[in-house]
Amino acid sequence: MLELKRISWDLPDGGEILRHIDLTVPDGKLIVVTGPNGGGKTTLAKIIAGLETPSGGSIWLDGQDITGLDVTQRARLGIAYAFQQPVRFKGITVRMLLELAAGGSLKENEACAFLAKVGLCAREYIDREVNASLSGGEIKRIEIATVLARGARLSIFDEPEAGIDLWSFSSLIDAFGELRGKLSGSLLIISHQERILNIADEIIVIADGGVRVSGPREDVLPKLLSGESFAGCPVMEGVGCK
């Protein structure tokens, strides 16, 4: 279980992005974090992964205070993070990347299964280099496949729908839905998309630097679908305030 206790994060000029965030990500759950653009969602995800250091508060994983641990140390504890803009690796093939994520060799059918879950034809991609020859959408799907291959305690996906075509997005929803029924850890997804919100166990709305509402999907989603705004900004379908 992941617990955030009074997490805050400030800009170098002193501007507050997050203020006293308290939330819990229980084991075996798919949690979706949503809210207006600029509300602090991605910053919160990076703080959990260890890519940003909070200005205040503490982070606990299974009763251990991990606030002072860096991104590598947190990865060893089982926290995986998928970026909005994935990095590229010249000289490393998709197969190699999947095996690095899985922590050992994979049979071809196992590696191909991870690619199929994110809508890629495995035979076309398994031996390609993860370099500039791949489109933004292709590299994003490959990164998501590596997160799935890790089988982490906590997998964080930052707007996984970004740069993915409609058909591949449908495959991705199916993959998340499948994982939701087999979780030994937890999934934390940042998204505005209604189809992703629809498969959540719990929804957390972050707006204006704080948690505005959180709870089971059946309680929170109707408020979002009704057009309710948070901090003066709409939430659904990627519409936000700049």
Side-chain angles (χ1 to χ4, degrees):
M1 182 172 68
L2 180 78
E3 295 178 276
L4 273 62
K5 301 180 181 181
R6 296 186 65 77
I7 289 294
S8 298
W9 191 81
D10 301 332
L11 292 169
D13 64 5
E16 290 183 313
I17 300 299
L18 297 174
R19 292 186 300 278
H20 306 312
I21 297 284
D22 290 308
L23 64 85
T24 299
V25 179
D27 293 336
K29 298 291 185 180
L30 193 162
I31 310 296
V32 177
V33 177
T34 192
N37 292 338
K41 303 182 302 298
T42 290
T43 298
L44 183 65
K46 288 182 176 180
I47 285 173
I48 294 171
L51 295 166
E52 295 285 0
T53 301
S55 305
S58 59
I59 307 167
W60 297 74
L61 181 67
D62 297 333
Q64 177 183 350
D65 187 348
I66 64 170
T67 313
L69 300 186
D70 62 26
V71 62
T72 301
Q73 292 168 316
R74 294 187 198 192
R76 288 173 180 156
L77 291 177
I79 296 178
Y81 182 83
F83 291 85
Q84 281 190 30
Q85 300 296 326
V87 295
R88 300 171 188 269
F89 301 92
K90 186 177 180 180
I92 295 180
T93 66
V94 173
R95 183 196 303 269
M96 293 166 63
L97 199 60
L98 287 169
E99 290 184 335
L100 284 169
S105 62
L106 292 171
K107 295 179 180 178
E108 184 151 337
N109 65 316
E110 293 173 328
C112 290
F114 289 119
L115 294 175
K117 285 181 179 181
V118 294
L120 293 177
C121 178
R123 291 187 179 181
E124 293 182 11
Y125 289 91
I126 192 70
D127 292 316
R128 287 184 66 178
E129 282 193 20
V130 187
N131 58 22
S133 69
L134 295 168
S135 70
E138 288 170 328
I139 197 75
K140 183 67 174 286
R141 283 177 272 169
I142 289 166
E143 185 188 42
I144 292 170
T146 65
V147 174
L148 298 179
R150 277 201 62 191
R153 282 278 295 104
L154 173 64
S155 298
I156 305 168
F157 296 88
D158 191 356
E159 297 192 13
E161 67 272 15
I164 294 182
D165 58 84
L166 182 61
W167 184 85
S168 298
F169 179 61
S170 296
S171 298
L172 185 63
I173 293 294
D174 291 341
F176 283 142
E178 178 183 344
L179 284 170
R180 181 177 176 272
K182 300 178 179 179
L183 285 177
S184 55
S186 304
L187 295 179
L188 183 68
I189 304 175
I190 296 173
S191 180
H192 295 287
Q193 287 290 334
E194 182 179 344
R195 289 183 63 188
I196 292 180
L197 291 164
N198 263 314
I199 61 172
D201 292 305
E202 297 182 15
I203 297 173
I204 299 168
V205 178
I206 302 288
D208 195 27
V211 176
R212 297 305 174 188
V213 64
S214 66
R217 176 192 67 247
E218 55 269 25
D219 293 340
V220 177
L221 187 55
K223 297 178 182 179
L224 301 180
L225 295 176
S226 70
E228 184 170 334
S229 65
F230 297 88
C233 301
V235 171
M236 297 300 294
E237 296 302 327
V239 178
C241 297
K242 299 294 186 182

